[in-house]
Amino acid sequence: MAPRYQHRRSYRGRSPPGPPNPTSPVAYGTMGYVTRIVIIGGGPGGYEAALVAAQLGAEVTVVDCDGLGGASVLTDCVPSKTLIATAEVMTTFDSSYEELGIIVADDTPPLEQAARVVGVDLGKVNRRVKRLALAQSHDITASVTRAGAKVMRGRARLEGMQSLDGSRQVVVATPDGNEQTLTADAVLIATGAHPRELPDAQPDGERILNWTQVYDLTELPDELIVVGSGVTGAEFAGAYQALGSKVTLVSSRDRVLPGEDPDAAAVLEEVFRRRGMNVMARSRAESAKRVGDRVEVTLADGRVITGSHCLMAVGAIPNSAGLGLEKAGVKVRESGHIWTDKVSRTTAPGVYAAGDVTGIFALASVAAMQGRIAMYHFLGDAVAPLNLKTVSSNVFTDPEIATVGYSQADVDAGKIDARVVKLPLLRNPRAKMQGIRDGFVKIFCRPGTGIVVGGVVVAPRASELIHPISIAVDNNLTVEQIANAFTVYPSLSGSIAEVARQLHTRKAAGEG
């Protein structure tokens, strides 16, 4: 069992059993001793921390400059997955309607029978994207304020070192040009990150775009060049290909999604190419410039490719500048990320950090967990340290790629001894019925015990299918336990049980 940390006690508005300690982080209020928490940044790490701290009786102020939900809700996860939802419908229709016997009646002349019969209104799609993102931000704000936390608009910074009484000063620059100083017993920094930009490929918001600007497009790009084949690049490349753009994906690595399971990445790249995407491997982009209504992207080897639009997806920069971190004693890595331990503490007493600004794992779920852990720790609740080997993640391409626990790279590098079985979805009866040709289920288990330590699912809605494997990893379940659990027939989840049965058989036979 993971060790549990016990820190300070929260009295939730009640008087403590004794005289106040002058070095305690608890401030005296009219109703007793109340801990003052200031959270800088309203993304998943910030607003989830605010909910926990308010529930535990703290006086919470969230300082945010854009709107609660942060980039995850306003410009990243929620918008991109909303766009991808439309693309998913388009892909499912285009790839399966003939095989499933669906007839589409239209007025296409005989010579144009091969023309696309379903299109998309990107302006309408993007208006829906923005509307849903804003609605989600408003819902989060309502939840946080209903919990008792105060939301303050502005940009905050730490002011110097910790005071003798253990408190810290946070200066907030408000939109009206004034400054306000807040006193905090603990500060959580959850300021997120912003798109990285190449010096010679500056976005103009019209033809050269970063991932926060694509939702301003009113018409579908005819020819989209996507620079960067990581998760963001692959998701947008697949989405716009499905929506009807001609897409060129520029990858500086040998394959798309270099950080993901190699078998999964190979499936996705093959699907991309089969659907007509131009995937350029080992091609590093050096510059992008607008030439009239076209964009020219120059590669490191001198080649020039052109398109109507270019999306730069070349990583993210942590929002750690201008926060007064150095003077406050907060250690920052060379990359700009804030150093934290497994309970979200920084090197400065009473200062915690969560989310993309820490560089731990750029997932909203991880940011939220970091924020919750920070508040549990500071306010004296029992808390287990962050365990990244139980984190499940998903790439929202088509097919999706979901992973949890130890990876194929960990096994290949000898970090863990594990048995592996991979089963193609092509053998699954439900997949055959739905016209699903691509994907697989892969599970890793410990030899001898059969304890599940990781898994990969490549399939439509893999983000839903990974959950039983995630439960197994988190609870040290064995392949025997998974194999013996009932599954619906026919179902895609039946492949998970089948892989577990094969691993159980191999374990019983003593095979590697």
Side-chain angles (χ1 to χ4, degrees):
M1 183 179 293
R4 293 200 173 286
Y5 290 78
Q6 194 75 20
H7 196 49
R8 302 177 177 92
R9 181 176 298 170
S10 171
Y11 295 103
R12 307 186 190 185
R14 301 188 300 274
S15 297
N21 180 351
T23 62
S24 170
V26 182
Y28 187 81
T30 57
M31 299 298 293
Y33 291 90
V34 180
T35 305
R36 300 161 297 185
I37 304 289
V38 173
I39 297 171
I40 305 175
Y47 73 74
E48 287 286 348
L51 293 172
V52 167
Q55 183 183 27
L56 294 178
E59 179 184 286
V60 183
T61 301
V62 182
V63 183
D64 185 80
C65 58
D66 298 316
L68 292 199
S72 175
V73 169
L74 296 171
T75 60
D76 195 352
C77 292
V78 170
S80 64
K81 278 50 177 180
T82 305
L83 176 75
I84 288 168
T86 299
E88 184 182 62
V89 174
M90 299 288 288
T91 301
T92 301
F93 183 84
D94 277 358
S95 61
S96 302
Y97 78 95
E98 288 185 355
E99 180 179 343
L100 298 180
I102 297 172
I103 299 174
V104 178
D106 69 353
D107 298 325
T108 307
L111 293 178
E112 302 292 336
Q113 285 295 342
R116 190 182 186 91
V117 294
V118 177
V120 65
D121 182 341
L122 188 65
K124 188 173 183 179
V125 171
N126 281 337
R127 287 192 295 274
R128 177 174 183 263
V129 166
K130 292 180 178 180
R131 186 171 64 251
L132 291 180
L134 193 60
Q136 181 67 10
S137 178
H138 287 165
D139 287 346
I140 293 169
T141 303
S143 296
V144 169
T145 54
R146 191 164 52 242
K150 177 183 177 182
V151 178
M152 185 176 181
R153 181 60 63 92
R155 295 183 179 274
R157 69 178 187 273
L158 297 172
E159 189 72 7
M161 302 294 287
Q162 189 178 35
S163 303
L164 292 177
D165 64 356
S167 66
R168 286 186 176 273
Q169 302 299 306
V170 178
V171 177
V172 181
T174 57
D176 59 10
N178 295 319
E179 288 191 345
Q180 184 175 341
T181 300
L182 306 176
T183 300
D185 303 307
V187 177
L188 174 70
I189 300 170
T191 47
H194 62 275
R196 176 173 170 257
E197 297 176 356
L198 300 182
D200 295 325
Q202 292 295 307
D204 61 10
E206 295 180 355
R207 295 286 172 174
I208 303 175
L209 310 158
N210 62 38
W211 70 73
T212 70
Q213 298 169 329
V214 294
Y215 311 109
D216 293 326
L217 292 175
T218 57
E219 295 183 357
L220 190 69
D222 293 328
E223 301 169 275
L224 178 65
I225 301 170
V226 178
V227 177
S229 61
V231 173
T232 301
E235 287 184 347
F236 276 114
Y240 277 100
Q241 179 79 18
L243 294 175
S245 296
K246 182 179 179 181
V247 176
T248 297
L249 180 59
V250 179
S251 173
S252 63
R253 309 289 286 274
D254 292 340
R255 58 179 172 85
V256 300
L257 297 175
E260 297 296 323
D261 181 90
D263 292 333
V267 169
L268 185 65
E269 185 167 335
E270 195 278 328
V271 169
F272 278 175
R273 293 182 187 276
R274 189 175 71 224
R275 292 174 180 168
M277 187 183 299
N278 178 21
V279 180
M280 302 180 66
R282 296 180 295 278
S283 302
R284 183 178 297 276
E286 286 196 340
S287 67
K289 66 178 180 178
R290 183 171 175 174
V291 181
D293 288 337
R294 305 284 293 175
V295 176
E296 292 184 354
V297 176
T298 302
L299 307 181
D301 60 8
R303 287 179 295 168
V304 177
I305 54 177
T306 64
S308 63
H309 297 75
C310 176
L311 170 62
M312 304 299 298
V314 289
I317 303 294
N319 296 326
S320 57
L323 296 175
L325 300 180
E326 184 178 350
K327 291 183 178 180
V330 177
K331 178 182 177 181
V332 178
R333 305 178 192 274
E334 288 186 8
S335 61
H337 294 100
I338 297 174
W339 181 93
T340 58
D341 64 11
K342 291 188 176 182
V343 289
S344 304
R345 288 178 297 192
T346 70
T347 53
V351 180
Y352 294 75
D356 290 2
V357 75
T358 68
I360 296 295
F361 212 150
L363 293 173
S365 58
V366 174
M369 183 63 75
Q370 287 178 288
R372 289 191 291 263
I373 286 174
M375 294 300 99
Y376 287 138
H377 181 263
F378 186 80
L379 294 171
D381 221 29
V383 58
L386 184 67
N387 180 8
L388 294 179
K389 285 306 177 186
T390 62
V391 174
S392 56
S393 62
N394 192 70
V395 182
F396 289 85
T397 48
D398 183 42
E400 294 181 359
I401 299 173
T403 57
V404 65
Y406 283 93
S407 66
Q408 185 70 58
D410 293 328
V411 176
D412 294 343
K415 293 182 180 179
I416 188 170
D417 186 14
R419 291 192 171 94
V420 183
V421 164
K422 183 180 77 170
L423 184 67
L425 279 184
L426 199 59
R427 293 168 51 179
N428 181 286
R430 186 67 184 276
K432 294 175 183 176
M433 297 171 192
Q434 294 180 317
I436 298 171
R437 307 177 185 86
D438 307 294
F440 61 81
V441 173
K442 180 194 289 189
I443 294 178
F444 308 91
C445 79
R446 295 285 285 164
T449 63
I451 291 175
V452 178
V453 294
V456 182
V457 178
V458 180
R461 304 296 173 89
S463 50
E464 313 293 342
L465 291 171
I466 197 66
H467 192 230
I469 304 177
S470 180
I471 292 174
V473 170
D474 196 42
N475 292 277
N476 295 319
L477 301 183
T478 65
V479 290
E480 181 180 13
Q481 289 172 303
I482 295 179
N484 288 337
F486 278 98
T487 58
V488 172
Y489 181 86
S491 67
L492 296 183
S493 59
S495 289
I496 296 174
E498 177 60 27
V499 172
R501 280 190 286 273
Q502 291 189 21
L503 279 167
H504 175 59
T505 302
R506 293 189 181 192
K507 177 174 76 74
E511 297 178 8

